[in-house]
Amino acid sequence: MVSAPLKSARTTKGSPGLNWSLTTPGAVVFAVMFTLESLARATLATITPLQAYELLGDKGTVNLLYTGVYATTLCVSFAIPDLIRRFRRRWVYSLGVVMTIVAAMLLAAGNLSGQIGGMLAVALAGSLTSVTLQLYMMDHIQRRDFVLAEPLRLVFSAAAWGAGPFLGVWLNQRFGAGTGQALSATAAALLLGYFWYLRMTENPAVAAATRPPPRPLASIRRFLAQPRLRLGWFIAFGRSSWWSMFFVMPPLYLTDALGADRGHFWGGVLVSAGNILLLTTPFIGRVASRHGIRRPIMAAYAGLSAFSILAATVLHWPLAVGLCLLGGAFCCVILDALGNIPFIRAVRPLERPQMATVFRSYADLSSLMPAAVFSLLLLIFDNIGPVFIASGLFALGVGWVARHLPRSM
C-alpha cells in the first residue's frame, strides 16, 4: 500500500514520474526550495573567502580557518539523525534555514569574530538543510525518476549559483559592506516562508520516530559495509572537493594577480560563470537516462583532471587560467547532475536518515581535507599552481575508481 506522502510523488503532468506542481511536494517544489537555498548560500560564496583574506592577509591562514570550521561541522553533523528523531524533520530543516540568516548577519559585521561565527553558521546550516531536504526528496520522488529530477533541481538553481557569487561582491562594492549579506538573509527568509506554506509531511514508513537511531559509529560501520554506498560516497566526495577548491582558490589567485578591486570583481565573475553552466544539466540528464551514468561520470572526471592540471601550466596568464577552470567547472556540472544517483539508488528506505547523514559527510570532508592539503601546499610552494595539480590528480584517481559502477547503472 502506498503511503499518502508517496502518492504526491506520482505524475500530475509533464515528464513521466515527475510532479510539476508548485504546491504539492515534487520535482518542481524541491527545485524551487533548492534555488532559494542556493541564492542564500551562493551570495556568500565569494564574499566569505575574500573577506577572510582581507582580515587575515594570508592564503594559508584562510585555508587553516576553513579547516577548523569544517572539522567542527563534521563532528556536529552526526547528531542530525538524533535531532530529527527528537524534534522532527521540519524543525531541523527550519533551524538550518534560520542559521543561514544568522550567518549572513555575522558576516556582515566585518570583524574576525563575526567572520568565524558566520563561517561556522553557514557550514552547519548546509549540513542541516542538505540532509533533511534529501530525505524529503527520497520520500516524494521515486528512485527511477532521480535521473530526471536531479538535473531539473540543478538547472533551477543555475540562476542563483550563476548570479549569487558575483552579485554578493558587486552589491558590497556598489552599495556598501553588508548589502550582499542582506540579500542572502532575504532569500533564506523567503525559503522558510515557502517551506512552512507547503506543510510538507514525512513518509511514516521511513520516518525515524519509533526508536532511537544507531549511534554515529554504528551508522558509519553499516555504511562502510555496503560497497555501493562507499562508491557513491567517494564519487560525490571527489566532485565536491573540486568545487571546494573552485569557490576559494581562484578568487584568491585573481586577487593576487589583478589587485584587490579587479581581483574581487573577476573572482566573482569566474565563480558565477562556472555555476551558470548548471543550465546544461537537463541535457546531461536526458543523455544519462538513455545511456546510463557510468561512462559520463568517468569521462567527466577525466576532463576535470586535464583542465585542472592545464590551469597550473598557464599560471602567468589569468585569462587562460580562468578558461581552464571554466572547462573544469563544466565537467563538475556533469558530476553534479549525476553524482548523487549511485547513493540514492543504493540506499535502503528504512536506513535513509542514518545513511543520508553519513553520506552527507562527503560535503564536510571535501571542504576539510582539501583545505588542509592546500594549506600545506601553499606553505611549501607559496603559489597556487600545486593546488590545481593536486586537484587534477585526485580527480583522475576518482575517475579510475568510478569504473566500478555497475554497467547497468
Side-chain angles (χ1 to χ4, degrees):
M1 181 177 180
V2 180
S3 64
L6 289 181
K7 288 180 181 177
S8 67
R10 295 194 178 274
T11 308
T12 55
K13 60 181 179 178
S15 296
L18 295 185
N19 184 348
W20 292 82
S21 170
L22 279 170
T23 57
T24 304
V28 173
V29 162
F30 292 119
V32 171
M33 291 175 64
F34 190 70
T35 299
L36 290 171
E37 181 189 350
S38 295
L39 181 59
R41 294 171 62 81
T43 308
L44 302 176
T46 308
I47 292 175
T48 302
L50 291 176
Q51 186 168 286
Y53 194 27
E54 289 178 353
L55 291 168
L56 298 171
D58 178 71
K59 293 188 290 292
T61 307
V62 171
N63 275 280
L64 285 174
L65 176 57
Y66 272 98
T67 302
V69 166
Y70 287 109
T72 303
T73 305
L74 178 63
C75 295
V76 174
S77 66
F78 284 100
I80 293 176
D82 197 50
L83 288 174
I84 292 173
R85 182 182 69 87
R86 291 176 182 273
F87 302 108
R88 308 298 295 176
R89 194 186 299 172
R90 65 177 67 90
W91 295 109
V92 177
Y93 183 82
S94 299
L95 175 62
V97 179
V98 170
M99 288 187 70
T100 304
I101 299 173
V102 172
M105 294 171 63
L106 289 171
L107 289 169
N111 54 47
L112 186 57
S113 59
Q115 181 74 23
I116 296 172
M119 290 172 68
L120 277 170
V122 76
L124 290 170
S127 293
L128 293 171
T129 57
S130 176
V131 170
T132 48
L133 187 60
Q134 189 170 61
L135 290 173
Y136 278 122
M137 289 175 67
M138 287 190 288
D139 277 359
H140 293 275
I141 299 176
Q142 298 179 30
R143 289 188 186 189
R144 67 176 180 271
D145 296 326
F146 270 96
V147 74
L148 297 174
E150 280 290 281
L152 180 69
R153 178 174 67 93
L154 292 171
V155 77
F156 265 57
S157 69
W161 280 109
F166 164 75
L167 196 56
V169 172
W170 180 79
L171 285 172
N172 280 357
Q173 288 183 333
R174 180 68 176 82
F175 299 103
T179 49
Q181 291 90 330
L183 176 61
S184 173
T186 301
L190 290 173
L191 171 60
L192 188 62
Y194 184 52
F195 172 71
W196 279 97
Y197 165 77
L198 292 169
R199 301 188 66 83
M200 203 174 298
T201 58
E202 302 175 35
N203 182 354
V206 297
T210 59
R211 60 183 181 184
R215 296 296 93 192
L217 286 179
S219 297
I220 294 172
R221 285 195 296 268
R222 178 63 183 154
F223 190 98
L224 294 177
Q226 302 179 59
R228 288 195 178 184
L229 294 188
R230 296 199 306 265
L231 180 59
W233 185 94
F234 194 59
I235 289 171
F237 173 76
R239 174 203 81 215
S240 188
S241 294
W242 195 89
W243 279 127
S244 296
M245 182 278 295
F246 183 76
F247 278 109
V248 176
M249 303 310 298
L252 300 186
Y253 159 75
L254 290 172
T255 297
D256 283 346
L258 303 177
D261 289 339
R262 292 179 65 207
H264 287 193
F265 177 83
W266 287 109
V269 169
L270 176 60
V271 174
S272 289
N275 284 284
I276 285 174
L277 295 171
L278 288 166
L279 290 170
T280 63
T281 53
F283 170 76
I284 296 166
R286 286 195 294 270
V287 171
S289 66
R290 292 183 180 181
H291 304 289
I293 65 174
R294 181 176 180 270
R295 285 181 293 178
I297 286 176
M298 293 175 62
Y301 269 117
L304 187 62
S305 174
F307 280 118
S308 301
I309 294 173
L310 184 60
T313 67
V314 294
L315 206 59
H316 297 295
W317 292 276
L319 177 60
V321 171
L323 292 175
C324 288
L325 293 175
L326 284 178
F330 174 71
C331 296
C332 223
V333 164
I334 297 174
L335 297 168
D336 275 348
L338 308 177
N340 287 352
I341 293 173
F343 166 77
I344 291 168
R345 289 183 176 174
V347 67
R348 298 171 180 172
L350 292 178
E351 294 182 325
R352 284 174 180 173
Q354 295 82 13
M355 296 302 101
T357 298
V358 179
F359 178 71
R360 177 58 177 73
S361 67
Y362 82 81
D364 297 320
L365 283 171
S366 67
S367 297
L368 169 62
M369 296 176 68
V373 172
F374 298 160
S375 296
L376 180 61
L377 290 174
L378 290 170
L379 181 64
I380 295 172
F381 295 101
D382 197 32
N383 75 77
I384 208 166
V387 170
F388 294 153
I389 293 173
S391 296
L393 293 176
F394 182 65
L396 186 63
V398 179
W400 178 253
V401 172
R403 78 189 194 282
H404 294 296
L405 283 169
R407 294 183 182 275
S408 60
M409 186 173 282

